[in-house]
Amino acid sequence: METLAILGASSQIAKDLIRSLVRDGQSSLLLYVRDCEAMRAWLAGEFAGQPHAPLRVAGYDEYDTVPHDAVLNFVGVGDPQRAAQMGGDIFAITQQFDDLALAGLRRHPQRRYLFLSSGAAYGSDFAAPASADMRATVAINALQPQDYYAVAKLHAECKHRALPDLAITDLRVFNYFSRAQDMAARFFITDMLRAIRDGSVLHTAPGFMVRDYLHPQDFHQLVRRVLDGPAANQALDCYSAAPIAKPELLALMQRRFGLRYEIGETLPGAIVNATGGKPHYYSLNRKAAELGYQPAFTSEKAITLESAIMLGRPAVLDQIMDAK
């Protein structure tokens, strides 16, 4: 059985992956976090009475004291409001934990390293979706705070490509959605969910955008493909079976969940745009398909399924399951 180390194991996307890895039963997990007691409490509640592979929780000061086959680095911020508050500190945090993983990799070059990157590494120019030929753009003479997150990810990826003999895979996540999403986070999707939950009206600007929401099962599939595939130094864009445009997303949430919304000028501060505006924030780069990755969920299906569970709408959930 392989042993996987997970840095930042308390993040939402890491917890979702832990659930999937426990279910597939192929790995023992070393979980590294700041608050060990909180992580142990979560594990006790999540897997109580369930047989599973070994799960060990430790602080970061213990990293690399236990042998492992691969390390997955989830340390970072997933909420745009937190990213905005963090400001330039994002550089030091990203580098600190990236260097921690790389130091272990240099001591054990047979080990694999999966780094959670972001579509933001391409920069802020998403007038068109990302592609294999797209260049990263950085306003080097006019850097703004919303650029810091993207530059931190790009810097880490550049470091990784400069180590071609090491098996490092950067997974660029564009948008990700699961039932464990923090409803207080400032994403467009959570703004909609709060409006539905509270019975309020969502006020949204008229601008057009397209987003690609990755489902946890597809993310797990991609991670599994990387771990089971040939060792490589590479970057892979994450993608669902199909993205969704803002008008279709609003209509979907209105039809399925009764969302009420108004399109017009939004109040100052109503939108948290910590990484810049991106009208077409998704990728057409299908390099991951070379590993056998085939997403099972469209953005529409992922959002409908996970939202129905979050909002406690069994009727909608039954409709989705009946449609399979």
Side-chain angles (χ1 to χ4, degrees):
M1 177 179 287
E2 68 183 0
T3 299
L4 305 180
I6 299 180
L7 306 179
S10 60
S11 71
Q12 176 211 336
I13 190 169
K15 285 180 175 178
D16 288 340
L17 182 63
I18 290 166
R19 292 184 185 96
S20 297
L21 290 171
V22 168
R23 281 195 299 269
D24 78 26
Q26 299 182 49
S27 316
S28 62
L29 304 180
L30 307 172
L31 309 178
Y32 294 94
V33 293
R34 293 188 188 278
D35 190 338
C36 294
E37 291 308 310
M39 191 68 199
R40 291 189 183 102
W42 178 80
L43 290 172
E46 191 70 25
F47 303 113
Q50 300 179 35
H52 54 75
L55 298 169
R56 182 178 184 272
V57 178
Y60 294 114
D61 58 333
E62 295 185 49
Y63 176 66
D64 214 21
T65 59
V66 178
H68 49 279
D69 302 291
V71 54
L72 290 70
N73 183 359
F74 289 89
V75 176
V77 292
D79 179 352
Q81 191 167 41
R82 282 188 58 211
Q85 293 168 348
M86 184 174 293
D89 290 343
I90 189 68
F91 295 110
I93 290 174
T94 302
Q95 180 162 334
Q96 176 186 352
F97 290 94
D98 187 44
D99 286 349
L100 182 67
L102 289 175
L105 207 62
R106 290 187 179 96
R107 290 190 293 270
H108 307 280
Q110 77 285 356
R111 182 182 298 164
R112 300 192 183 204
Y113 177 25
L114 278 67
F115 174 79
L116 192 71
S117 187
S118 168
Y122 281 105
S124 58
D125 185 12
F126 279 88
S131 67
D133 299 322
M134 186 174 181
R135 293 177 177 268
T137 58
V138 177
I140 191 65
N141 292 316
L143 283 176
Q144 299 297 316
Q146 61 262 31
D147 299 319
Y148 298 164
Y149 178 81
V151 174
K153 294 296 188 184
L154 177 60
H155 176 250
E157 288 200 26
C158 290
K159 285 167 58 183
H160 300 162
R161 298 295 82 76
L163 300 168
D165 294 332
L166 298 179
I168 306 173
T169 297
D170 299 317
L171 295 176
R172 299 184 187 127
V173 175
F174 287 76
N175 288 276
Y176 175 90
F177 185 61
S178 84
R179 66 198 69 178
Q181 175 67 57
D182 179 5
M183 288 275 276
R186 296 307 314 277
F187 296 106
F188 182 59
I189 185 70
T190 48
D191 288 349
M192 287 191 292
L193 289 169
R194 283 194 304 275
I196 296 167
R197 180 196 64 190
D198 300 340
S200 59
V201 176
L202 174 75
H203 297 275
T204 182
F208 181 81
M209 67 179 189
V210 183
R211 295 292 184 263
D212 197 18
Y213 292 92
L214 187 67
H215 189 273
Q217 290 184 32
D218 283 333
F219 182 67
H220 169 246
Q221 182 202 157
L222 182 53
V223 168
R224 226 9 320 144
R225 297 288 184 183
V226 172
L227 293 173
D228 295 341
N233 187 294
Q234 62 191 340
L236 301 175
D237 288 359
C238 299
Y239 53 91
S240 76
I244 188 168
K246 181 178 177 180
E248 286 72 40
L249 180 54
L250 287 167
L252 170 69
M253 301 304 276
Q254 182 183 61
R255 183 175 71 254
R256 290 286 199 178
F257 304 106
L259 171 69
R260 294 185 296 146
Y261 64 92
E262 292 180 359
I263 298 176
E265 294 302 319
T266 55
L267 297 174
I271 300 298
V272 178
N273 195 4
T275 60
K278 302 177 178 69
H280 293 86
Y281 190 52
Y282 65 103
S283 180
L284 300 176
N285 186 347
R286 298 296 186 260
K287 183 178 179 181
E290 297 173 7
L291 297 176
Y293 172 66
Q294 295 182 328
F297 292 82
T298 63
S299 294
E300 177 177 336
K301 184 177 179 182
I303 290 168
T304 307
L305 175 63
E306 299 302 296
S307 296
I309 294 170
M310 291 177 71
L311 294 168
R313 301 293 180 87
V316 176
L317 191 58
D318 288 343
Q319 292 171 5
I320 300 169
M321 303 308 290
D322 290 343
K324 286 187 175 181

